[in-house]
Amino acid sequence: MTGALLVAGTTSDAGKSILTAGICRWLHRNGVRVAPFKSQNMSNNSAVVLTADGRGGELGRAQAMQAAACGIAPDLRFNPVLLKPGSDRSSQVVLLGEAVDTVTAGNYRTLRPRLAETAFAAFSELRSEYDVLICEGAGSPTEINLRDGDFVNMGLARRFGLPTVVVGDIDRGGVFAAFFGTLALLAPEDQELVAGFVINKFRGDLGLLRPGLDMITAATGRPVHGVLPFHLDVWLDAEDSLAYGRILGRPGAPRGTEWLRVAVIRLPRISNATDAEALAAEPGVQVRLTIEPGEIADADLVVLPGSKATVSDLAWLRETGLADAIRGHAAAGRPLLGICGGFQMLAETIHDEVESGHGTVPGLGLLPVGITFAARKTLSRPVGSGLGAPVRGYEIHHGYVSAGAPDPLLRYQDGRPEGAVAGNVYGTHWHGAFESDGFRRRFLTEVARQAGRHGFTVAPDTRFAAVRERALDVLGDLVEENLDTGALWRLLEKGAPPGLPFIPPGAP
């Protein structure tokens, strides 16, 4: 088989990422050499890839997850353009893994031709190396104000003649109107490539839904290729932290007599919130994302996650009263963990002329370190140890420890210290450290002791890598059991069928 397919969506978070991963997993299990592709991603959840020359580069974490579904290592070409929002008006541009610029809505149009050229070249290279590419769109293909110059949705599909399926989230309501409106606002040449629909997150009696499937097919001339049911085990590797609910994951019953309650601060520019997923995979560990000071008071462990805007998110903590709640939690002797940007916020001082340009600002003063921002971003995949257990992680940060010699939380393989520990307060720049099972178990055992949760017992058999593999297999199963996979094969082999009807009015 050779071919490619674009998975578009009626909205952001409609299910494009998981449907792409599920199709990738299904094809991989059928012996197809398949790879994911997303021309441009806007997300602060990223993964680090080491290139052949040892250089670190970033791509969207969703594409790293989709690569795992394909049984292959992530490649920077899978997501050639990554936009990392630092505010409501500007984003850092990461091109083939390297930060090259900062753009606003105003100057993005100037840079877009270069980004499109890079994305199209990456697609062409990958198409020559793999049997199939499953491409993920961004947002909606009918962002009519952005269609000119588009290279991630129908612009990509038109360039390479890709058949397109549109996925919609029925849990939000209005899915049939969203399907019809998406199609009806596309230009005739775009509509020719839209070959069908997929419904996501359905709960209930499929028999009651079936008349609607028949009616949308009659109205558009395009079939619904399947209905994916809502599934509780589909929650790992979210592209955006807003995709999470208030409770992260589906916590299993505790092995001991008590739960361990974890509160993760949902920062305005939160990045790599996926760090908390490894904690949420543990039985008896309830992980809640929150912006409420009262919920911090009720937590055993508070986590300050990464941030794309450390100084401004720290100011937000102070404005909302969360900073005082965090200090009160630590003063009570209960454990507090900062990861990357969250670690930097716990410092005594932060000197930042790079990200915010605010110079020296006071941190929360809970760890005896000073942080300085360097112009060059650290991108690496370190290996080392912590709490007597082996640890692997990845680093994505401008800030570094420039003052203080604290007790380290981790050590690099060569013995260099990393992070800090001051009693019940912990900090590290390493993302992904808690995916190392032995380290996670020892950390949770220690914080449960500090929190007074003596009835909490860590599970000895949780393997986070196996949890992630099971989740990918669930996605593959959902595709195989609920979609018309024969129709997907035909789209990949032959493209969109000819003669699909035009639905007026078309693009304005």
Side-chain angles (χ1 to χ4, degrees):
M1 169 180 285
T2 57
L5 175 74
L6 175 65
V7 177
T10 55
T11 61
S12 294
D13 197 32
K16 297 185 294 292
S17 295
I18 64 167
L19 179 56
T20 298
I23 294 173
C24 285
R25 192 62 157 195
W26 163 65
L27 290 169
H28 170 61
R29 294 196 303 206
N30 281 275
V32 178
R33 292 186 306 126
V34 57
F37 183 78
K38 183 161 184 170
S39 294
Q40 176 181 285
N41 199 345
M42 179 173 278
S43 175
N44 280 330
N45 280 350
S46 60
V48 173
V49 174
L50 294 183
T51 59
D53 60 3
R55 177 177 63 90
E58 295 179 77
L59 81 162
R61 192 169 177 90
Q63 281 63 65
M65 176 267 288
Q66 292 159 358
C70 298
I72 56 178
D75 185 314
L76 295 176
R77 295 174 298 173
F78 295 165
N79 175 210
V81 181
L82 174 63
L83 303 181
K84 304 189 75 173
S87 72
D88 289 342
R89 295 181 178 272
S90 66
S91 294
Q92 184 181 64
V93 179
V94 178
L95 191 62
L96 288 175
E98 184 177 356
V100 297
D101 206 342
T102 298
V103 295
T104 64
N107 65 4
Y108 175 73
R109 291 181 181 274
T110 303
L111 187 61
R112 186 164 54 189
R114 177 188 174 192
L115 304 183
E117 181 181 351
T118 301
F120 291 154
F123 179 93
S124 297
E125 289 178 10
L126 292 169
R127 201 167 194 180
S128 69
E129 298 172 20
Y130 291 91
D131 298 330
V132 168
L133 294 185
I134 303 299
C135 307
E136 179 186 343
S140 163
T142 47
E143 308 288 357
I144 53 179
N145 55 315
L146 302 175
R147 178 61 182 88
D148 182 31
D150 166 60
F151 60 93
V152 63
N153 288 305
M154 301 315 295
L156 177 72
R158 286 266 294 277
R159 175 68 175 254
F160 295 102
L162 306 182
T164 300
V165 295
V166 177
V167 58
D169 180 356
I170 198 170
D171 203 44
R172 297 182 174 189
V175 72
F176 295 120
F179 283 154
F180 189 88
T182 295
L183 187 63
L185 285 176
L186 293 176
E189 297 82 0
D190 291 342
Q191 289 194 26
E192 289 175 1
L193 295 171
V194 177
F197 308 107
V198 172
I199 287 178
N200 187 33
K201 295 185 186 177
F202 178 71
R203 345 182 190 204
D205 183 352
L206 191 57
L208 295 177
L209 182 65
R210 194 162 302 282
L213 308 184
D214 295 338
M215 292 167 72
I216 195 67
T217 296
T220 65
R222 288 145 175 96
V224 177
H225 291 307
V227 178
L228 296 175
F230 180 86
H231 201 293
L232 287 170
D233 289 335
V234 178
W235 58 275
L236 289 176
D237 292 301
E239 185 172 74
D240 191 312
S241 66
L242 294 177
Y244 295 133
R246 287 176 57 81
I247 301 295
L248 184 58
R250 188 174 59 156
R255 297 294 175 91
T257 58
E258 288 188 283
W259 287 81
L260 190 68
R261 298 164 301 175
V262 179
V264 180
I265 310 300
R266 196 192 286 266
L267 299 166
R269 296 298 166 191
I270 190 170
S271 68
N272 288 71
T274 45
D275 282 319
E277 292 178 348
L279 303 179
E282 284 286 353
V285 178
Q286 182 194 71
V287 180
R288 181 187 299 272
L289 280 84
T290 185
I291 58 171
E292 300 296 335
E295 291 184 350
I296 291 176
D298 195 45
D300 300 312
L301 168 65
V302 171
V303 178
L304 266 176
S307 169
K308 186 64 184 68
T310 298
V311 170
S312 64
D313 277 0
L314 176 58
W316 175 83
L317 289 178
R318 290 186 165 113
E319 292 165 3
T320 57
L322 287 164
D324 291 338
I326 290 167
R327 285 197 188 95
H329 175 91
R334 287 179 292 176
L336 170 65
L337 168 66
I339 301 174
C340 199
F343 169 36
Q344 296 163 4
M345 294 179 200
L346 297 177
E348 294 175 344
T349 60
I350 303 170
H351 184 74
D352 177 18
E353 300 285 0
V354 176
E355 193 174 76
S356 70
H358 284 186
T360 300
V361 299
L364 294 176
L366 296 174
L367 285 174
V369 298
I371 296 292
T372 298
F373 276 60
R376 186 169 183 83
K377 186 185 292 189
T378 296
L379 295 169
S380 68
R381 296 193 62 87
V383 177
S385 61
L387 303 179
V391 183
R392 292 179 177 272
Y394 60 99
E395 294 183 83
I396 309 173
H397 56 90
H398 285 281
Y400 66 95
V401 175
S402 56
D407 292 332
L409 176 60
L410 303 167
R411 286 192 181 274
Y412 291 91
Q413 199 167 33
D414 61 9
R416 287 178 295 132
E418 202 292 313
V421 179
N424 56 311
V425 182
Y426 305 83
T428 177
H429 273 124
W430 290 17
H431 294 290
F434 295 98
E435 296 180 18
S436 297
D437 299 325
F439 173 69
R440 182 182 66 253
R441 291 171 191 144
R442 295 185 185 195
F443 178 80
L444 289 174
T445 298
E446 176 60 15
V447 300
R449 182 192 68 78
Q450 292 178 332
R453 293 292 178 184
H454 303 297
F456 173 79
T457 301
V458 71
D461 54 354
T462 302
R463 293 179 55 246
F464 186 71
V467 172
R468 176 169 283 143
E469 280 298 301
R470 284 198 300 273
L472 294 173
D473 280 331
V474 166
L475 295 178
D477 292 342
L478 288 173
V479 166
E480 189 166 355
E481 296 167 5
N482 298 282
L483 297 192
D484 184 349
T485 54
L488 296 181
W489 278 106
R490 289 189 294 274
L491 290 176
L492 288 168
E493 289 178 330
K494 300 178 180 179
L500 292 170
F502 170 70
I503 304 301

